[in-house]
Amino acid sequence: DDDNSSYSSSFSIGENNAVVTTQGIGNAIDMMTIVGHKIGAPKGIACLYIAPNCFTNKKKVLPKHYMLLGGGQEYGKRAGTENVPYIVGLGTAADLLMQQTTLEEGGEVVPQWQKNAKHMYALKSRLYSNLVQALGSDIVRDNGPSSPCHKLPNTLSVGFRNVQSGDLLRNIEMDVACSAGSACHASGGALSAVLVAMDVPLEYARGTLRLSVGPSTTLEEVDEASEIIVGAVRKQLGK
């Protein structure tokens, strides 16, 4: 499901352990968008985190107007009537992720988000392994960081050498929900700026798919998706 996460260019609470204190979320984050539908809330709700003293400490210029002009809602930062049911939905989704649960292996008690992350990372790893085993490591490339500590647990940016992702998507779109490159920057057919910034070789960047799993994704679904993608890649390569 391509709505489960985003890759590289955005950050989702629930995919990483972000702890907010009176000093903010560490020293590296000035602003952060928390998108509701990526953690189980309805589509159409999000919130913006701004680090304490972000503009004064970082010597940034405070915008005269933030987003939308009009009423004085949200302390004048964003005009418009608040969508209270969706706001409640976002808060409830966050609460559910923090509820304690037990891991199936070992019986350790952890927050729900951590159990979700463990499940999704295992499925994402299997998806990549399936593709490599079927097509070969010379055809399949993981575009993400080499260290598992720097990877999102649920999102795989995978490049297929000398494959056109647009054609690939048209062949699988009725069976596998995915996108070409980074979903945030893949419209218009141009090469994704995210992939360019990541120094992905051109022969892999043009054939990149963005695949993601969710907490409810099953092993069978991952294996089925792998077979469909492998078949479409082989067809395009004439194998």
Side-chain angles (χ1 to χ4, degrees):
D1 183 350
D2 191 47
D3 288 329
N4 283 316
S5 74
S6 62
Y7 186 85
S8 176
S9 57
S10 56
F11 177 100
S12 298
I13 292 293
E15 296 172 355
N16 295 271
N17 185 16
V19 179
V20 183
T21 69
T22 54
Q23 285 74 43
I25 306 177
N27 297 320
I29 299 177
D30 293 332
M31 294 184 179
M32 180 174 69
T33 301
I34 301 171
V35 182
H37 71 263
K38 297 178 181 180
I39 63 171
K43 288 185 178 182
I45 183 65
C47 67
L48 173 66
Y49 163 81
I50 303 176
N53 302 315
C54 170
F55 294 102
T56 55
N57 290 349
K58 302 289 183 176
K59 296 183 180 179
K60 293 180 170 60
V61 178
L62 181 66
K64 183 177 180 181
H65 301 295
Y66 276 73
M67 300 177 188
L68 300 178
L69 304 181
Q73 292 90 348
E74 301 189 45
Y75 303 100
K77 295 181 176 64
R78 186 188 189 281
T81 303
E82 296 92 338
N83 189 343
V84 176
Y86 276 35
I87 293 172
V88 173
L90 177 58
T92 300
D95 284 340
L96 291 173
L97 285 175
M98 295 307 297
Q99 289 184 0
Q100 297 296 300
T101 186
T102 304
L103 292 177
E104 295 177 1
E105 297 181 4
E108 182 183 359
V109 177
V110 297
Q112 183 64 49
W113 70 263
Q114 190 170 332
K115 183 176 182 179
N116 290 353
K118 184 178 179 67
H119 170 76
M120 292 185 293
Y121 187 81
L123 291 183
K124 183 191 74 168
S125 299
R126 183 180 179 94
L127 174 60
Y128 179 69
S129 177
N130 287 349
L131 297 174
V132 172
Q133 288 180 18
L135 296 169
S137 58
D138 59 324
I139 299 295
V140 182
R141 181 185 193 273
D142 184 349
N143 296 327
S146 57
S147 171
C149 298
H150 298 151
K151 293 176 181 285
L152 291 174
N154 64 331
T155 308
L156 174 66
S157 174
V158 59
F160 300 98
R161 184 165 59 88
N162 297 330
V163 168
Q164 295 295 321
S165 59
D167 295 336
L168 187 59
L169 279 177
R170 282 188 286 273
N171 288 328
I172 67 174
E173 62 184 358
M174 299 304 295
D175 301 302
V176 180
C178 58
S179 64
S182 171
C184 302
H185 302 283
S187 62
L191 191 62
S192 164
V194 173
L195 297 179
V196 172
M198 293 166 61
D199 294 324
V200 177
L202 184 61
E203 63 269 28
Y204 289 99
R206 293 195 183 282
T208 288
L209 293 183
R210 174 182 174 274
L211 304 165
S212 53
V213 298
S216 61
T217 304
T218 66
L219 191 66
E220 292 74 19
E221 289 171 335
V222 164
D223 289 344
E224 182 179 359
S226 302
E227 292 179 6
I228 294 170
I229 295 170
V230 166
V233 171
R234 284 176 172 167
K235 181 179 179 181
Q236 193 173 145
L237 293 175
K239 294 185 176 181

